[in-house]
Amino acid sequence: LSYCDDQANRLGMSLLQGGMWLCEPCLWIFWKHTGQLIATTHCELIGLDAAKTGEVLAQPESEDLVRSYVRLFTRYFKRNVDLLTDIWA
């Protein structure tokens, strides 16, 4: 997969590899996608419904861990806004 950041002065073109994922910010914060993704070879994508994922993760057995992660995620990117894109690895 090839990802082109719409704000080309940030990332330009990036090739995604195994172990990388896309669009995680929409699970934790209000998010507008920042680029375009183009399949350069055969690939498989898994899509999650952000609202449904939130419901599942809000279950008592995962709630503390998820809240801790979300707090760290949002704190980090509030301090480093220029680093946040659709790509996260």
Side-chain angles (χ1 to χ4, degrees):
L1 295 171
S2 178
Y3 174 79
C4 183
D5 192 317
D6 288 342
Q7 298 178 22
N9 58 336
R10 290 195 321 182
L11 287 180
M13 186 73 71
S14 300
L15 292 177
L16 277 68
Q17 301 183 14
M20 298 176 80
W21 59 89
L22 295 163
C23 308
E24 181 187 359
C26 71
L27 294 174
W28 318 125
I29 59 177
F30 179 76
W31 183 249
K32 181 179 178 192
H33 297 290
T34 62
Q36 299 177 40
L37 185 66
I38 300 167
T40 53
T41 61
H42 174 78
C43 64
E44 294 182 19
L45 295 175
I46 298 172
L48 298 175
D49 179 302
K52 292 285 185 191
T53 301
E55 289 174 20
V56 170
L57 294 176
Q59 299 300 312
E61 52 277 355
S62 63
E63 196 170 8
D64 290 339
L65 180 61
V66 172
R67 281 188 180 162
S68 294
Y69 178 79
V70 172
R71 241 183 268 116
L72 289 171
F73 184 93
T74 55
R75 186 179 307 140
Y76 179 80
F77 284 113
K78 280 182 181 179
R79 294 179 183 155
N80 300 282
V81 176
D82 58 319
L83 298 178
L84 188 55
T85 70
D86 293 317
I87 300 174
W88 187 243

